[in-house]
Amino acid sequence: LGILLATFGQTIANEFQGIRRSKCQQSRDRTQIYEGVDNVLMKRLQALRTEMRTRTSTQSAELDAYLVPMYDEHQSQYLMESDQRIRFLTGFTGTIGEAVVLMRSAAFWTDERFIEQADQELNCAWRLFRNGERPTVAEYLLSELSPEARVGADPHLIPHPTWKALETELNADYIRMVHINRNLVDMVWGARRPAPRSGAIKVHPVRFAGERWDSKVARLRANLTALRCDGMIVTSLTEVAYLLNLRGSDIPHVPVFKAYLLVTHRELTLYTNTSRETLGLKNHLKAHSCHNENCVQLRDYVDVWRDLRTLAQHWHRFLVPAAVVFDTGASEAIHATLPRNIVYERPSPIIFLRAQKNQVERQGMRQAHIRDGVAMCEVLSRLEERFIAGDHITEMSLAREIDHARKTQNNSEGIAFPTSVAYGVHSSRPNYTPSNRTNVELSEGMVLIDSGGQYEDGTTEVSRTLHLGEPTADQIRAYTNVLIGMIRLSMLTFPENLKPAELDALARGPVWGSMNDYPHGTGHGIGSYSAVRESPISISYTAKQRFTFKEGYFFSNEPGYYKTGAFGIRLENVLEVVDTGKMHPTGHKFLAFQDVTLVPFEWKLIDRTLLSVPEKKWLNDYNSRIRQHVGSELKR
């Protein structure tokens, strides 16, 4: 028994050492030598440990561990430069990560898609772990810390559900979670930290929004009445922007501005940097002498904490957003500010109001995708010709061309996320984005392009995989299987009570048939001049959700195939959910999908003998729509 326990303990110890780091080779005396950027990052890590010793909480004791999440105060998907704490501390430039710093060790978790990138970018002081595998953050802390240890974190940056789950696990071993309201990474960053962006807030006109903001607020208040709530705090930046028909530029690629919005039945208060108040903004929000429920009071961003504490005394039931699909819910700091007995934790009603686009938004999304198709076709139609002619094209230069083509389109507001051009082996990494360190020249082989645009009338996202030269039979078979899965999902007619996760096998089936799979969802909701990834739709067989499709929802259809170390394929269209006008025998509506993305597929990678007759017809009809809508624009 002793031998078995010792063996088990050794297995756990080895498991908690993390993934073997390819870049980390120790010197003969088993010490790690840090040079250049790695040395700078090591000094930052040491400085953070110094802060952990000297910056104390109200209990006046040093910290044994400190958590650094990849969130801002609003749990945003993308971050402004001043909120890139993970990047500053670790050097990691991906979009999913969490760091845990102890006095003698440091650990980093990221998604499978970013493991290779993290391995290269993190210095060797960091143990690297995959999300979804052992150890979890809690397991790691329990293995490293003694009872009575103190784990600190900034409660403004951690979603409340995450905090509570971690606190529960650690408390079982008498380890305490401690609120540290002054962010310790910011203390290390000091004067070098970039100033937070506070750009102009602009009105999103009704000709694009399709509905006045006061009408949206009335619908939200009706929801709150049905839930018997006195009000709610809106913490998501995309929800604030949607509800008030406002847009901003504080965060790259997402047209939002930092703000909280307090909604009650008697008043509306927007908390943001008051230095950017303009006459146009005040007129739009009717903020002049605002003393009723149909106007918006403007207050400074930090005043939200004082007002929540004060006004909570008058509330009996107050909605605080819960986690749902891609939204992580309100922060631990929001929950800590409110009396526990009045908090009603529930998904924000705004998520569902926003997801179902109105007629103006639907038409805008269709038109935006036509212009987006023009931009993509202008670049891609010349690519192979230029390659054959001997032009020197790199991943980054092609990405810049695509970005420029989008920016020249009407109503363009830039890109929706960093454009990814992945050539050859890089295409086998699902979340690869070229950088100065990785950029290569295109040669014969696969090229995977993932990109999207922001337009005043819509948001786009499209992935296409091309081949320069002559593809192999293996590549053709893999591409065709991905295309078949995409077509099968697009062709589906279904009852409205079907769950999105139940559709996943339809798209994955052909890829599964080749004994492969892809490490990402098949689809996600998409906003209208908003975030490119939007709740409540997530098509993934691992997702647990009770939400269903509704007419007017838009979402992505993006199956893939990745052969490690060789090549990757992803095809992505945005689909609109439409009503067929027919009824299911149970009384539910029959819904269907309509592709709004209009960009051709790579003909040389399609084995037409593998397509069924309906699939061939779908492809022919799709190409006809491209010629009709995009072709007419290209001829102008």
Side-chain angles (χ1 to χ4, degrees), residues 244-376:
L244 296 181
N245 286 350
L246 296 172
R247 296 296 188 268
S249 58
D250 287 1
I251 292 180
H253 318 307
V254 187
V256 295
F257 55 96
K258 274 203 172 181
Y260 292 99
L261 180 65
L262 178 60
V263 182
T264 70
H265 295 289
R266 294 187 176 183
E267 60 186 9
L268 289 163
T269 308
L270 180 66
Y271 299 90
T272 190
N273 188 332
T274 53
S275 66
R276 51 186 171 188
E277 291 180 14
T278 63
L279 182 61
L281 177 64
K282 289 182 176 180
N283 288 339
H284 173 71
L285 298 176
K286 309 173 191 175
H288 299 284
S289 302
C290 177
H291 300 295
N292 61 61
E293 71 277 11
N294 295 317
C295 58
V296 180
Q297 300 178 52
L298 296 173
R299 292 195 183 153
D300 197 63
Y301 183 71
V302 298
D303 289 346
V304 66
W305 307 105
R306 180 196 62 203
D307 285 2
L308 283 177
R309 283 190 293 269
T310 302
L311 296 172
Q313 301 172 42
H314 307 289
W315 298 328
H316 300 287
R317 186 177 170 99
F318 187 74
L319 193 150
V320 178
V324 53
V325 192
F326 304 117
D327 292 79
T328 59
S331 69
E332 166 65 11
I334 291 286
H335 279 261
T337 303
L338 294 165
R340 191 176 303 175
N341 64 305
I342 72 166
V343 170
Y344 181 55
E345 199 172 3
R346 183 184 176 92
S348 169
I350 302 171
I351 288 173
F352 306 96
L353 298 177
R354 179 186 63 189
Q356 191 166 24
K357 275 63 174 175
N358 58 50
Q359 291 296 339
V360 171
E361 290 174 311
R362 295 177 203 180
Q363 183 61 22
M365 287 286 279
R366 297 170 198 142
Q367 293 300 315
H369 279 83
I370 290 173
R371 295 194 301 278
D372 204 67
V374 169
M376 291 296 293

Side-chain angles (χ1 to χ4, degrees), residues 75 195 451 456 460 465 585 614 618:
Q75 287 65 58
S451 64
E456 287 187 287
T460 70
T465 304
W618 182 95

Side-chain angles (χ1 to χ4, degrees), residues 19 185 225 235 293 309 348 379 406-407 443 464 472 573 595:
I19 296 165
V185 176
T225 297
T235 61
E293 71 277 11
R309 283 190 293 269
S348 169
V379 176
R406 278 200 170 92
K407 290 174 183 176
S443 184
R464 288 294 183 265
T472 66
N573 277 6
D595 292 75

Side-chain angles (χ1 to χ4, degrees), residues 357 359-371 455 457-460 526-529 552-555 574-576 596-597:
K357 275 63 174 175
Q359 291 296 339
V360 171
E361 290 174 311
R362 295 177 203 180
Q363 183 61 22
M365 287 286 279
R366 297 170 198 142
Q367 293 300 315
H369 279 83
I370 290 173
R371 295 194 301 278
Y455 301 86
D457 49 354
T459 299
T460 70
I526 186 167
S528 175
Y529 189 28
Y553 279 16
F554 287 76
F555 70 99
V574 172
L575 307 186
E576 177 184 356
V596 294
T597 301

Side-chain angles (χ1 to χ4, degrees), residues 434-633:
S435 65
N436 290 329
R437 180 175 58 83
T438 64
N439 188 35
V440 294
E441 186 172 335
L442 306 190
S443 184
E444 184 169 344
M446 288 287 207
V447 182
L448 196 164
I449 302 170
D450 183 27
S451 64
Q454 292 286 10
Y455 301 86
E456 287 187 287
D457 49 354
T459 299
T460 70
E461 183 176 16
V462 56
S463 296
R464 288 294 183 265
T465 304
L466 316 174
H467 193 284
L468 301 177
E470 291 299 320
T472 66
D474 185 31
Q475 291 170 334
I476 293 173
R477 189 181 310 108
Y479 184 98
T480 306
N481 282 335
V482 173
L483 178 61
I484 289 171
M486 184 186 207
I487 293 174
R488 287 179 181 175
L489 179 55
S490 181
M491 290 173 59
L492 186 67
T493 299
F494 61 98
E496 62 182 340
N497 61 333
L498 195 69
K499 305 293 190 299
E502 295 168 341
L503 305 184
D504 199 18
L506 202 62
R508 290 184 192 266
V511 178
W512 284 344
S514 62
M515 303 301 143
N516 203 305
D517 201 356
Y518 44 93
H520 54 76
T522 292
H524 56 78
I526 186 167
S528 175
Y529 189 28
S530 185
V532 77
R533 191 174 69 165
E534 182 177 275
S535 298
I537 295 301
S538 173
I539 302 178
S540 174
Y541 65 91
T542 61
K544 297 178 181 179
Q545 56 174 286
R546 61 186 183 277
F547 312 111
T548 57
F549 290 104
K550 294 185 183 298
E551 180 187 7
Y553 279 16
F554 287 76
F555 70 99
S556 66
N557 173 11
E558 48 183 307
Y561 176 99
Y562 306 94
K563 188 172 183 178
T564 304
F567 64 88
I569 296 162
R570 184 161 67 255
L571 302 175
E572 178 181 12
N573 277 6
V574 172
L575 307 186
E576 177 184 356
V577 182
V578 297
D579 187 350
T580 65
K582 306 294 183 181
M583 299 298 290
H584 189 272
T586 60
H588 291 99
K589 293 179 181 179
F590 268 117
L591 301 177
F593 301 134
Q594 176 66 58
D595 292 75
V596 294
T597 301
L598 295 171
V599 178
F601 297 102
E602 175 64 282
W603 63 270
K604 72 170 78 169
L605 284 168
I606 302 173
D607 182 349
R608 289 159 181 76
T609 65
L610 298 179
L611 301 180
S612 67
V613 172
E615 289 160 358
K616 289 177 182 176
K617 182 180 185 305
W618 182 95
L619 189 57
N620 290 334
D621 291 345
Y622 183 73
N623 288 333
S624 295
R625 290 181 60 219
I626 293 173
R627 285 192 293 271
Q628 177 186 350
H629 296 291
V630 177
S632 61
E633 290 293 319

